[in-house]
Amino acid sequence: MKKVFKPISLLSILLLSACGSSSDNNDTEFVDSYLQFYNGSANSAATLIAEVDGNTLGTATYGDASGLITAESGDVDLEFYRIDADDQKVTLEEVTVDLSDGEKVLMILSGDYEAPSFIANRFTREDLEDHFRLFATSVITGTAGYDLYMSAAGEPFSAASPLGTINYQQFDELDYWDPDSDSDYFEEGEYILYLTEPGSNEPFYESATISFAFDTEYVLVLRTTSGAIQDNVVVDLIINSSAVANYADEDATGQYRIYNSLDDETAVSLSLAGNDGTSVDTTLSANTVSAFNEVEFGDYRLTATLDDEAFNNRLVTLNQGESKAIILYRDEDAQLNSISFKESNLPQVFDHQLQIVNLVPDYFDIDFYFVRQDETIESAEYQVAGLDFEESRSIILPSDFYELIAVFDDSNDTQILLDRTELLGINEEVNYIITVEKTDDSATGFKISILK
């Protein structure tokens, strides 16, 4: 039977998430079947869900979910796929799922993306008032699971209540430790989550204060970080929208790396100082990128010294589980300066999220092209247009070979070629940074640098 799928509007999402029963006879308001998809494969690409030989229903990157979709009850044939570098569909799995009225099916992708697992987790939706339900699972492979605790906001771990052990691919509803006379479910409010190794009384993870404000079913998923920072445990909370809340450990460290884009022969002396009196000192040669440096999360003051030049008031904020790149350059007045940006936490396996930075004060609105073997800049599918001086912007590319070309269109519509590279493989599992810079070592006076 052909299914009728209806993506839910934002207004409907809010109503479905927050509504309580409004009928005198307690008849359910959830008369449709519901479907959602969550991507929990740590080495995955952006993955699409569709009807077999039918419409695409949604997409999800790692740690993300599709929107909620409604459908008629009955069997539905689903296809999960990605798009490769040739814009061809690569089917990962076809699954037949039985949908029932009033029931939600959450399809969870987990495991190695080369041999993925797609599991249908289902529960009946209920009208709730001032309460919520909490389900939990894990997509972390190779562990014996983790014990989950929960406390009211403001209370210490010693006051937290155990909710059970969260195991890989096991989907359980959790019980509230202090139910009231109106409901056995969790009371709306603010809570803190903790994780310990099985049987341990020492938490290795503590969440920020989480507001459970909707009268709905929450699904808690344990996963690890990917991209620039890897293997930290994160808690994802899924409700009935594509906006998945991600919670890092409140005590997780951050990290940074610095690129010295200056052509000066003298190395730059750098110091990153925290508010507790600690500092990390580094000397970085010209046209060199440092290794990643792990530090406690917080706000830092960056100082840079080059001969008789210096700045000492650059603020660098590193949040929990966050990685930032810092780039040293010269501004329009040839003064020493810096910019920073957050690096991607997505898997850099099939897709690559590159950061492009314009460090050329001579030209604003640079156009940057990623040109494959069968393309020119006029036919190139991937490009970043109008990149201003001191601006950084990201683009997602599939693994492939590209020629990188930086161009400026002047007021006479004449294209000025700033620089181009050889055909390069953008296919390593690293976080790429691409810069356009001035240099004395190029025939054009400009260069493209590829950092990884």
Side-chain angles (χ1 to χ4, degrees):
M1 180 179 68
K2 183 72 172 178
K3 311 305 294 184
V4 178
F5 286 95
K6 300 172 287 183
I8 294 182
S9 68
L10 177 59
L11 176 61
S12 297
I13 287 169
L14 295 175
L15 291 173
L16 286 170
S17 297
C19 68
S21 176
S22 60
S23 60
D24 294 332
N25 58 6
N26 292 323
D27 289 340
T28 180
E29 294 183 13
F30 304 109
V31 295
D32 292 309
S33 302
Y34 304 94
L35 177 67
Q36 194 174 21
F37 166 55
Y38 171 83
N39 182 347
S41 174
N43 64 338
S44 63
T47 303
L48 296 93
I49 177 175
E51 301 173 81
V52 173
D53 300 325
N55 297 324
T56 298
L57 304 175
T59 183
T61 56
Y62 180 52
D64 194 14
S66 70
L68 188 69
I69 305 154
T70 62
E72 297 175 350
S73 62
D75 288 345
V76 55
D77 296 324
L78 298 175
E79 179 183 24
F80 296 89
Y81 66 92
R82 66 178 178 89
I83 302 297
D84 67 11
D86 298 320
D87 295 328
Q88 299 300 306
K89 183 168 70 174
V90 178
T91 298
L92 305 171
E93 192 87 25
E94 291 187 3
V95 180
T96 299
V97 177
D98 178 27
L99 300 177
S100 298
D101 290 339
E103 186 177 74
K104 175 177 174 178
V105 173
L106 176 63
M107 298 295 303
I108 295 183
L109 161 62
S110 59
D112 187 342
Y113 202 60
E114 297 290 352
S117 175
F118 292 88
I119 297 178
N121 302 281
R122 61 183 69 239
F123 52 84
T124 300
R125 302 199 63 189
E126 295 187 18
D127 286 325
L128 301 168
E129 186 173 358
D130 299 327
H131 292 80
F132 66 93
R133 297 168 69 191
L134 185 59
F135 298 82
T137 188
S138 172
V139 293
I140 303 174
T141 60
T143 70
Y146 298 108
D147 290 345
L148 176 67
Y149 292 77
M150 189 176 192
S151 72
E155 294 184 348
F157 174 69
S158 59
S161 298
L163 298 183
T165 300
I166 312 303
N167 295 305
Y168 178 60
Q169 293 185 339
Q170 183 176 314
F171 191 83
D172 297 307
E173 182 167 9
L174 306 178
D175 295 324
Y176 186 42
W177 63 87
D178 188 24
D180 56 32
S181 58
D182 295 328
S183 174
D184 291 332
Y185 298 137
F186 290 80
E187 294 181 20
E188 279 185 1
E190 296 185 337
Y191 296 89
I192 297 175
L193 301 173
Y194 304 88
L195 293 172
T196 73
E197 299 290 343
S200 171
N201 292 320
E202 294 292 331
F204 69 87
Y205 170 96
E206 177 181 342
S207 75
T209 297
I210 301 174
S211 176
F212 289 88
F214 293 126
D215 305 332
T216 192
E217 296 87 3
Y218 289 82
V219 177
L220 181 156
V221 182
L222 304 185
R223 66 174 174 90
T224 54
T225 55
S226 186
I229 289 186
Q230 301 189 9
D231 300 325
N232 289 349
V233 175
V234 173
V235 170
D236 288 343
L237 280 180
I238 306 168
I239 54 173
N240 303 309
S241 78
S242 58
V244 176
N246 314 121
Y247 294 93
D249 177 16
E250 276 292 275
D251 292 323
T253 57
Q255 71 177 24
Y256 69 95
R257 57 175 169 166
I258 301 177
Y259 172 54
N260 178 6
S261 73
L262 308 180
D263 279 341
D264 305 75
E265 294 182 0
T266 305
V268 178
S269 297
L270 299 155
S271 178
L272 195 71
N275 59 7
D276 57 357
T278 61
S279 65
V280 181
D281 299 324
T282 308
T283 299
L284 198 58
S285 301
N287 300 303
T288 301
V289 61
S290 73
F292 285 105
N293 296 282
E294 182 180 346
V295 294
E296 296 297 320
F297 72 90
D299 298 310
Y300 290 85
R301 181 168 61 91
L302 177 66
T303 299
T305 304
L306 175 64
D307 294 331
D308 59 349
E309 293 183 78
F311 64 70
N312 58 12
N313 60 347
R314 298 296 186 273
L315 176 65
V316 178
T317 298
L318 295 168
N319 294 309
Q320 296 93 329
E322 182 177 83
S323 182
K324 279 193 173 177
I326 303 168
I327 296 182
L328 303 178
Y329 70 102
R330 292 195 182 280
D331 61 21
E332 289 180 276
D333 299 320
Q335 299 298 307
L336 191 61
N337 211 332
S338 70
I339 56 176
S340 65
F341 50 83
K342 183 180 176 181
E343 298 208 57
S344 174
N345 58 4
L346 293 175
Q348 306 295 310
V349 183
F350 298 93
D351 302 324
H352 304 273
Q353 184 170 325
L354 290 74
Q355 200 78 21
I356 320 298
V357 188
N358 179 2
L359 302 178
V360 178
D362 307 61
Y363 297 109
F364 286 73
D365 294 336
I366 287 177
D367 297 327
F368 201 95
Y369 297 89
F370 298 86
V371 183
R372 291 179 284 191
Q373 286 181 306
D374 59 348
E375 295 176 333
T376 67
I377 64 169
E378 293 183 351
S379 61
E381 180 177 355
Y382 299 101
Q383 59 181 275
V384 174
L387 189 66
D388 287 338
F389 174 53
E390 300 175 313
E391 182 185 4
S392 67
R393 208 181 302 167
S394 65
I395 185 173
I396 295 179
L397 303 180
S399 290
D400 209 337
F401 287 85
Y402 300 87
E403 180 185 2
L404 282 57
I405 302 176
V407 172
F408 174 74
D409 289 338
D410 67 13
S411 57
N412 298 317
D413 291 331
T414 300
Q415 289 188 311
I416 300 172
L417 177 63
L418 302 183
D419 194 22
R420 68 192 302 173
T421 69
E422 299 176 348
L423 202 63
L424 301 171
I426 305 295
N427 50 24
E428 297 183 52
E429 294 179 27
V430 296
N431 282 66
Y432 290 92
I433 300 172
I434 311 295
T435 64
V436 187
E437 312 167 25
K438 295 186 69 171
T439 183
D440 295 329
D441 299 327
S442 166
T444 64
F446 305 95
K447 69 176 181 180
I448 296 171
S449 293
I450 299 98
L451 314 175
K452 56 186 179 180

